[in-house]
Amino acid sequence: MVLSDTIKRFADLNGKTTKLSSGTDEHGLKIQEAADAANEAPIDFCTKFSNKFRSLAIVANTSATDFIRTTDAEHHKAVCKFWQRLVDGGFIYKGEHSGWYAVSDEAYYTSTQVEERVDDKGRGMFAIESGKRVEWVSEVNYKFRMSAFGERLLKWIEDNPSVIYPAVRRNEVLGWLRMGLEDLSVSRPRNRQQWGVPVPGDPDHTIYVWVDALINYLTVDGFAKSDALPFFPPNVQVVGKDIVRFHAVYWPALLMAANLPLPRRILAHAHWTMGAQKMSKSIGNVADPIMDIERFGVDALRYFIVRNGGIADDGDYSADEVLVRYKKDLVGQLANLAARCLSERLGADLNVFSRIGREQLDHAEPGDIALRDMLVALPGRVHVLFEQGEFGRGLSLVFDALAVANKHVTENEPWLLVKQTPVPERLQVVLFYSLEAVRLASIMLLPVMPAKAARLLNHLDVTDNERLWTDARFGAGWQLLNRPRQSTPGVAQLFPKLE
């Protein structure tokens, strides 16, 4: 959720018109059984959890433009329209289907994808991929001719090497495709699964939950009412690595059959662990996001999630590590540099920074060149990584630059320069480098820490229309206004002391 929001805010920062869809997938046998166990109607059960998710999204300061529930009436219409398109194309037929089914995954597995194991319930068969218990199911279902699209899917991925990221997930998908595709069961008997969208024209069957869920990408763009889709396909679909098969194999095959455009990019992120183990309520290693937001603040927690969260490899979560990032990066580098150089005693004059920036590009002192060159190159290097979805690596570059800027100000001792009579021009040059590093970092941090980064820019008197990525150029942010620029102290209060 935070990663998707960061991507959306980064696009906003680049002047793009954006649409961010989030929501809850609410149908399926798993939900039906959980609602029965809770002695609740499925819709009431779903509403309770959907509201919790929506509330967390608000608390986390995410900026979704759309929140979809797959129980929405508009989505029901879109699913039925999509199904009919598959039927009209001759891609749906009725047949007997047998296989190993994992209720928790809502997925069938072949005999080569399961193995025998023992868990706390005893001996049984389990999906190798997810580790979930499976049961043998044989029933008459509607099936989708997915096997007809294997070669087209292979060519699509090979012709578009960045369409699935990271490479380890792309290679995983290619491996599945090269083994060959079977036709996909796309319904369940209604007497077994009632909670879902009925198959149009056959109320004895329910549409497979993953077909239903994937169509949400079309629903949010108005597919139920029109084929004119202003945003579809998404520029980025952000998914967990455990569901990449559904998004990178099933979904594009279904879109090919429906003659609709394919995803531009699928970003499949890794998972969070705790103590190097998968999070699990049964062993008690789970995080409480609300509690940690209350302790660290929403932006500090967002920063940790984006900085430490894994794309290719799992990230390990602990409150202790959040605190380390908070103290080392946010307090020790970012706030420390800004607070030192915005001290009223030093008297930073923001109104001369535009001139100093131009002069430094033309000629810098030997001791300034390394930092100048780093700051000149920084936005471009970070932009490339952010475009890939590698926000953690991009943030690492930002804080490396802040560390160099902190070292630069320590070596140049502006607190001694200000005591000289007359005060040398060198003082403003030293302060320019420090505060330019803070300005550039704050703009690049806006997608990750929108509130704190904006407040930092306020301290620098950077106006709202000077906060696009195009403004993140060395020396570009200090142009003369129709009034004097005036910095404000008090940066240390942005990140209060924590233990």
Side-chain angles (χ1 to χ4, degrees):
M1 182 166 59
V2 172
L3 176 60
S4 300
D5 181 65
T6 300
I7 293 170
K8 186 260 188 188
R9 290 180 184 272
F10 174 61
D12 290 339
L13 206 60
N14 282 277
K16 296 178 180 177
T17 302
T18 56
K19 185 182 185 73
L20 172 60
S21 173
S22 181
T24 44
D25 170 16
E26 301 180 13
H27 287 141
L29 185 59
K30 176 171 63 175
I31 300 295
Q32 179 179 303
E33 291 181 349
D36 288 345
N39 197 29
E40 294 182 45
I43 188 61
D44 296 334
F45 182 81
C46 291
T47 297
K48 178 175 64 178
F49 285 99
S50 181
N51 288 344
K52 285 183 178 180
F53 185 83
R54 194 191 296 246
S55 296
L56 179 58
I58 293 169
V59 172
N61 194 19
T62 59
S63 56
T65 57
D66 297 82
F67 188 94
I68 181 173
R69 298 179 59 182
T70 56
T71 50
D72 290 341
E74 194 73 6
H75 180 67
H76 187 290
K77 295 175 187 175
V79 171
C80 292
K81 177 180 177 179
F82 190 92
W83 179 273
Q84 192 59 50
R85 188 165 291 192
L86 297 179
V87 171
D88 292 345
F91 296 106
I92 299 293
Y93 66 97
K94 210 169 190 178
E96 186 169 341
H97 187 86
S98 298
W100 295 101
Y101 192 78
V103 173
S104 59
D105 297 337
E106 297 284 14
Y108 276 103
Y109 293 97
T110 65
S111 57
T112 61
Q113 296 172 320
V114 299
E115 63 184 9
E116 190 173 7
R117 293 185 201 163
V118 176
D119 66 1
D120 55 0
K121 295 181 181 178
R123 185 171 296 278
M125 299 300 289
F126 295 81
I128 297 170
E129 189 175 314
S130 68
K132 302 298 183 181
R133 183 177 279 269
V134 297
E135 59 181 11
W136 183 259
V137 173
S138 184
E139 55 194 21
V140 174
N141 292 336
Y142 285 95
K143 303 181 82 171
F144 167 60
R145 300 185 191 278
M146 190 166 67
S147 58
F149 296 95
E151 290 302 317
R152 283 181 64 185
L153 287 169
L154 265 173
K155 186 175 188 311
W156 170 60
I157 296 171
E158 289 171 345
D159 289 350
N160 300 277
S162 63
V163 74
I164 301 171
Y165 190 85
V168 64
R169 303 280 90 84
R170 176 179 181 270
N171 293 336
E172 203 171 63
V173 172
L174 287 172
W176 295 329
L177 293 174
R178 286 168 182 154
M179 286 191 297
L181 293 179
E182 297 180 355
D183 287 352
L184 179 67
S185 172
V186 288
S187 75
R188 303 300 306 276
R190 197 76 178 168
N191 59 10
R192 183 176 179 85
Q193 181 194 323
Q194 300 84 45
W195 186 236
V197 179
V199 168
D202 190 346
D204 293 333
H205 286 263
T206 303
I207 293 175
Y208 176 41
V209 62
W210 268 108
V211 174
D212 167 358
L214 288 164
I215 294 167
N216 90 86
Y217 295 109
L218 288 163
T219 302
V220 296
D221 212 20
F223 179 70
K225 296 177 180 175
S226 172
D227 286 353
L229 304 171
F231 285 92
F232 192 86
N235 289 81
V236 187
Q237 289 177 208
V238 181
V239 303
K241 67 177 183 180
D242 56 325
I243 54 173
V244 70
R245 179 191 300 271
F246 305 103
H247 288 82
V249 178
Y250 295 2
W251 183 227
L254 288 162
L255 289 171
M256 287 176 178
N259 198 28
L260 288 167
L262 304 185
R264 293 188 176 100
R265 195 157 188 259
I266 299 166
L267 177 61
H269 60 76
H271 290 164
W272 282 103
T273 59
M274 185 174 277
Q277 288 184 296
K278 186 177 180 181
M279 289 191 188
S280 168
K281 288 183 180 179
S282 61
I283 62 176
N285 66 333
V286 292
D288 183 339
I290 300 298
M291 184 175 70
D292 285 347
I293 285 172
E294 289 174 354
R295 179 182 178 189
F296 299 107
V298 62
D299 273 7
L301 191 60
R302 283 175 61 108
Y303 172 72
F304 175 81
I305 288 170
V306 176
R307 176 76 190 265
N308 283 46
I311 299 298
D313 301 313
D314 292 344
D316 202 59
Y317 185 91
S318 78
D320 288 343
E321 286 301 313
V322 180
L323 186 60
V324 168
R325 283 284 180 214
Y326 185 93
K327 289 182 174 181
K328 179 183 176 184
D329 295 354
L330 302 182
V331 176
Q333 297 294 350
L334 180 59
N336 179 56
L337 181 61
R340 291 161 81 188
C341 297
L342 287 175
S343 163
E344 290 180 281
R345 183 167 57 92
L346 294 181
D349 184 357
L350 308 184
N351 299 287
V352 302
F353 280 9
S354 179
R355 172 180 58 79
I356 291 174
R358 293 192 301 272
E359 291 173 353
Q360 293 301 304
L361 280 172
D362 292 335
H363 174 76
E365 294 294 323
D368 300 335
I369 291 174
L371 178 57
R372 180 201 65 182
D373 291 350
M374 176 178 273
L375 295 179
V376 167
L378 182 65
R381 296 177 66 200
V382 172
H383 194 279
V384 169
L385 291 170
F386 278 15
E387 280 280 6
Q388 292 175 350
E390 293 285 0
F391 289 95
R393 290 168 59 194
L395 291 173
S396 180
L397 293 182
V398 171
F399 280 85
D400 285 348
L402 289 171
V404 173
N406 267 299
K407 183 172 182 288
H408 179 269
V409 76
T410 298
E411 290 173 345
N412 284 275
E413 301 178 313
W415 41 89
L416 296 182
L417 292 174
V418 76
K419 295 178 180 179
Q420 295 180 21
T421 305
V423 176
E425 167 75 3
R426 178 66 184 165
L427 172 64
Q428 295 302 327
V429 173
V430 172
L431 295 177
F432 162 79
Y433 273 106
S434 298
L435 295 178
E436 178 66 345
V438 172
R439 185 188 71 86
L440 293 173
S442 297
I443 291 175
M444 290 183 277
L445 285 168
L446 280 169
V448 183
M449 304 194 310
K452 297 289 189 183
R455 285 178 63 186
L456 265 173
L457 291 167
N458 290 344
H459 280 284
L460 298 176
D461 200 8
V462 175
T463 62
D464 289 346
N465 60 0
E466 298 175 304
R467 300 182 182 191
L468 291 175
W469 197 275
T470 53
D471 298 305
R473 291 178 291 114
F474 183 83
W478 308 102
Q479 306 305 315
L480 295 179
L481 303 174
N482 57 3
R483 58 167 178 79
R485 287 187 190 266
Q486 182 62 52
S487 64
T488 53
V491 172
Q493 298 169 15
L494 282 175
F495 300 101
K497 187 177 181 180
L498 294 178
E499 296 299 339

